[in-house]
Structures are given as C-alpha cells and as structure tokens.
C-alpha cells in the first residue's frame, strides 16, 4: 500500500500526540492518584431533607476529631443551602453535596472545587483553601430560569 510521505509524517505527529495525551492521563491516574470525583453513593432525593445526613439542622461545616472539616450542602433550585459556609484556611475540607431536584454544578472560581451535583447521588470533593477571604459557590450546570442567580458564599477564615 502506498502512503504519501507527507501523510505519513502527519500520521507520526498524530500518533505522537495521542501517545503523549494517553501517557499523561495514565501518569496522573496511576502516579499522582488523580481521578474525576466519582463518589458512587446514592440517596433518595425525595426524602433527603426529612432526616439523616442532609436534614436542615445537619447542614453546614463540622470540624472532625482529626481537625479536618466536613461540609454538607444541598444544591436546589435556585441556591445552595446553607447560604454561607465558613471554613478555616489550609485545612482539609471534604464537601458532601446532593440535590433534591435537578442536575446542578458547584464551582468556586480560582480553586479546584468543582463538581456536578446529580439528584440521587452524593457528590464528594476533597480540597483545601489557602487564600483567606470571601468567595462564591456558583452553579455551573444549567438548571432552569434561575440558574444565573444560583450562588452562595464561602468564607475562608484564618486557621485556629
Ligand atoms: Cu443550579 Cu444552575
């Protein structure tokens, strides 16, 4: 089979780029232990507000015995509950978020805090914030007419 030399050259270029991309993904997954947030944990979206982990009085930030913080939030049309979360800087923070209605997203600009919130599932994100001050949780999945107004506050305070 005859292959034009120019075409052959580009086949090598494309082959090399594919190898670099697959190689970097494999490196990140195996060596750096980086994976997409996929916490396959289910919850009944119809009853999550009535009792258990996501009942209203159980939402917000809790400090664990080891000093880390767990934040429980509900993303619902059109806000995040509670509407203000305060966490210490330079501390491991685990977010546990779920939705009772439709698909939402949570994103804090300039941080790696970003995940989809799928009804029926609990999304989990582990992160830490090094910069003190106020930031916003923004919804980054179109969830209806109020999507643009769906946000809440994050306050990062000095540790201790
Ligand atoms: Cu919630 Cu967009």
């Amino acid at each position: 089979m005859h292959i034009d030399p120019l075409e052959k050259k580009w086949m090598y270029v494309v082959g090399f780029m594919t190898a670099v991309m697959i190689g970097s993904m494999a490196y990140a997954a195996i060596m750096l232990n980086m994976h997409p947030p996929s916490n396959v944990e289910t919850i009944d979206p119809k009853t999550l507000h009535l009792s258990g982990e996501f009942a209203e009085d159980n939402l917000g930030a809790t400090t664990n015995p080891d000093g880390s913080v767990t934040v429980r939030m509900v993303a619902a049309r059109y806000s995040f509950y509670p509407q203000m979360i305060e966490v210490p800087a330079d501390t491991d923070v685990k977010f546990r978020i779920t939705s009772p209605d439709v698909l939402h997203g949570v994103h804090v600009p300039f941080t790696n805090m970003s995940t989809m919130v799928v009804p029926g599932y609990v999304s989990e994100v582990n992160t830490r914030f090094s910069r003190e001050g106020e930031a916003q949780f923004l919804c980054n999945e179109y969830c209806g007419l109020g999507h643009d107004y769906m946000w809440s506050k994050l306050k990062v305070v000095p540790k201790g």
Side-chain angles (χ1 to χ4, degrees), residues 75-80 101-105 138-144 146-151:
R77 287 192 286 189
Y78 294 102
S79 188
F80 298 100
D101 45 35
V102 298
L103 177 73
H104 299 279
L138 304 174
C139 180
N140 61 1
E141 296 286 342
Y142 184 74
C143 51
H147 166 73
D148 287 352
Y149 306 101
M150 183 165 171
W151 62 279

Side-chain angles (χ1 to χ4, degrees), residues 12-157:
Y12 285 123
V13 171
V14 169
F16 174 74
M17 283 162 64
T18 308
V20 167
M21 280 189 277
I22 292 174
S24 59
M25 278 193 285
Y27 177 78
I30 297 162
M31 303 303 289
L32 305 178
N33 199 27
M34 283 168 75
H35 305 285
S38 57
N39 183 41
V40 187
E41 188 183 334
T42 56
I43 188 165
D44 185 353
K46 292 193 292 287
T47 57
L48 62 87
H49 62 292
L50 298 177
S51 64
E53 192 182 349
F54 293 95
E56 194 176 353
D57 55 4
N58 205 32
L59 298 178
T62 322
T63 306
N64 302 312
D66 66 355
S68 68
V69 172
T70 302
V71 176
R72 292 183 178 85
M73 278 166 72
V74 169
R77 287 192 286 189
Y78 294 102
S79 188
F80 298 100
Y81 303 94
Q83 291 185 311
M84 226 283 279
I85 296 283
E86 202 177 281
V87 293
D90 297 314
T91 304
D92 289 326
V93 181
K94 177 190 291 238
F95 284 92
R96 288 177 55 75
I97 312 166
T98 189
S99 162
D101 45 35
V102 298
L103 177 73
H104 299 279
V106 190
H107 173 60
V108 180
F110 308 109
T111 69
N112 69 345
M113 167 63 191
S114 186
T115 186
M116 279 169 114
V117 184
V118 186
Y121 291 86
V122 179
S123 302
E124 213 174 83
V125 181
N126 294 296
T127 188
R128 36 168 62 220
F129 301 100
S130 50
R131 200 165 46 165
E132 290 163 22
E134 282 196 8
Q136 280 92 38
F137 294 101
L138 304 174
C139 180
N140 61 1
E141 296 286 342
Y142 184 74
C143 51
L145 290 176
H147 166 73
D148 287 352
Y149 306 101
M150 183 165 171
W151 62 279
S152 68
K153 265 191 196 163
L154 168 71
K155 205 167 169 184
V156 182
V157 297

